Amino acid sequence: MEYTDQHIISHEATVTDALRQLNQLSGRVMTLFVTDGDGRLAGTLTDGDIRRGLLAGATLNDKVTAVAHRNFRALRSYAPDLDLLRQWRTAGIRLIPELDADGRITDIIDTSTTTTRLPVSAILMAGGKGERLRPMTLTVPKPLLEIDGKAIIDYNVEAIERAGIKRVRVAVNYLADAIRSHFANRPSPAEIECVGEPAPLGTLGAASLMDHEPEGDTLVMNADILTTLSLEDFYLHHRREHNAITIAAIPYNVAVPYAILTTSCTDSSRVTALEEKPTYAYYANAGIYMISNELLAGLPAGERTDATDLIDRAISSGLRVGYFPISGVWIDIGSPVDFAHAQELMRQHRLLSPQ
């Protein structure tokens, strides 16, 4: 709770105390959250609230409750309303208190850095050898290769942090100690834990080594991709469609440089039409999934499992599997060409971004 100590004030404090505390927040968001004797949120307080209170007859020696704003906005930590949070964020409201069932503050969300509060955990698959990127990956695991001065995996972790996800597990195998050391020295608002694979377990098998909440969902993604996918939109789509698994997908077009024959259904030797140089559009698996915890909890412990294996089993069982198109950037950094492209893309993004 980065903001809790600076932004919380007791209902017993005076208006003068509040002015002093607000003054100490100069340069930051100048909002205080007033708590009652049981620690429950009782109101919010800004310079404007104090000014209006003084004009209405309050004094500097009055308790802050005399001038506090009672009709405050708050998010419930046990059942966050993401649509409401999005509305507040869009309206420019910077600090949103998060309350438990008793109305006590559990966290304060700064919407400039934490855009939402997804009620999921995350798993990053970071155990691969990155053989196509050798010799770069002989001594550095692919997720730690730097793109424009930042480790590839950190782009994904930062997106997860911005989405308000509080628990992240990183599956490691190849050069695992380097990744463990990286996260041991990287501060994060999330709880980040590295989980070692005793042997390569495929693209999803490491999830069988982890505990999963009995309900809810988990974001699973490869650690060596770059994407601008909105995790908030991805999750909301997954819940809205009642999917057991949602696959993030990228458009993939195949252009055929020849005229394609269409043949008769009853006589395969008979040509019924010609289509000149057609283009076929498909959706390809982007290596990012939202998966129900019930499915993850059922993975065979310690056995090699690819994500496609679980998807096939879910479909065979009659569970709903859907997809969500990525409309922005997605790069699978699997080859030197991909690596160079990602470097140039992020360099241009930095140059074009406002300083």
Side-chain angles (χ1 to χ4, degrees):
M1 291 191 290
E2 178 183 355
Y3 289 91
T4 298
D5 291 340
Q6 306 101 312
H7 288 267
I8 289 181
I9 189 167
S10 167
H11 70 298
E12 293 290 342
T14 67
V15 174
T16 299
D17 295 330
L19 286 170
R20 288 197 190 96
Q21 194 162 331
L22 285 169
N23 188 59
Q24 292 172 355
L25 293 173
S26 180
R28 288 175 284 176
V29 185
M30 297 180 69
T31 300
L32 298 177
F33 297 97
V34 181
T35 56
D36 67 15
D38 293 320
R40 293 187 294 264
L41 182 61
T44 60
L45 194 61
T46 66
D47 273 333
D49 294 320
I50 294 176
R51 186 167 58 251
R52 285 185 289 272
L54 293 174
L55 289 172
T59 72
L60 293 176
N61 292 323
D62 284 342
K63 300 291 178 62
V64 289
T65 50
V67 296
H69 182 66
R70 304 283 185 167
N71 188 23
F72 52 82
R73 299 174 177 87
L75 199 69
R76 300 293 172 176
S77 58
Y78 52 89
D81 187 332
L82 301 185
D83 290 322
L84 194 57
L85 178 56
R86 176 180 278 188
Q87 290 176 25
W88 293 338
R89 184 182 76 228
T90 303
I93 298 168
R94 179 79 178 269
L95 296 185
I96 305 292
E98 200 173 30
L99 310 181
D100 64 16
D102 295 319
R104 296 182 178 88
I105 297 176
T106 58
D107 204 351
I108 298 174
I109 300 170
D110 181 346
T111 59
S112 71
T113 57
T114 304
T115 58
T116 187
R117 179 67 86 200
L118 299 188
V120 302
S121 59
I123 299 174
L124 287 168
M125 295 299 179
K129 294 183 178 180
E131 293 178 330
R132 288 183 294 163
L133 282 171
R134 289 183 174 177
M136 288 188 291
T137 53
L138 287 174
T139 56
V140 178
K142 184 165 69 165
L144 293 189
L145 293 178
E146 292 192 352
I147 300 292
D148 197 36
K150 184 187 299 183
I152 297 169
I153 196 171
D154 282 345
Y155 285 99
N156 295 313
V157 172
E158 287 174 3
I160 288 168
E161 291 168 342
R162 285 194 300 274
I165 297 172
K166 296 182 178 181
R167 189 183 188 197
V168 183
R169 273 79 61 84
V170 183
V172 296
N173 179 262
Y174 178 67
L175 298 178
D177 286 343
I179 298 177
R180 288 192 179 96
S181 177
H182 176 78
F183 284 109
N185 297 300
R186 182 189 180 282
S188 173
E191 172 195 344
I192 300 179
E193 175 190 3
C194 290
V195 178
E197 295 176 288
L201 296 177
T203 59
L204 193 60
S208 71
L209 307 175
M210 306 170 188
D211 64 287
H212 304 283
E213 295 291 332
E215 298 180 352
D217 305 283
T218 295
L219 170 71
V220 181
M221 64 188 299
N222 296 339
D224 53 4
I225 58 179
L226 287 181
T227 182
T228 56
L229 167 69
S230 166
L231 297 180
E232 181 181 42
D233 289 342
F234 185 41
Y235 171 76
L236 290 174
H237 175 85
H238 172 78
R239 299 300 295 178
R240 192 162 47 241
E241 296 296 316
H242 305 287
N243 291 338
I245 302 175
T246 302
I247 307 165
I250 55 165
Y252 188 79
N253 297 323
V254 178
V256 180
Y258 310 107
I260 297 300
L261 309 184
T262 301
T263 58
S264 169
C265 295
T266 57
D267 182 359
S268 60
S269 65
R270 180 185 176 188
V271 175
T272 59
L274 281 175
E275 188 176 2
E276 188 68 32
K277 298 179 180 178
T279 297
Y280 300 102
Y282 301 95
Y283 278 109
N285 183 356
I288 308 170
Y289 314 92
M290 197 67 70
I291 305 176
S292 79
N293 288 341
E294 184 178 358
L295 281 177
L296 290 177
L299 289 172
E303 292 185 16
R304 181 183 178 89
T305 305
D306 288 326
T308 51
D309 299 328
L310 183 64
I311 292 167
D312 287 341
R313 288 202 292 268
I315 293 171
S316 298
S317 300
L319 298 176
R320 184 177 173 84
V321 175
Y323 74 95
F324 180 82
I326 297 175
S327 59
V329 173
W330 179 87
I331 304 175
D332 177 13
I333 306 173
S335 69
V337 172
D338 298 326
F339 186 78
H341 174 53
Q343 290 278 18
E344 179 61 20
L345 182 70
M346 296 311 297
R347 187 182 74 83
Q348 291 297 329
H349 175 74
R350 175 172 51 81
L351 292 175
L352 293 174
S353 297
Q355 299 299 314

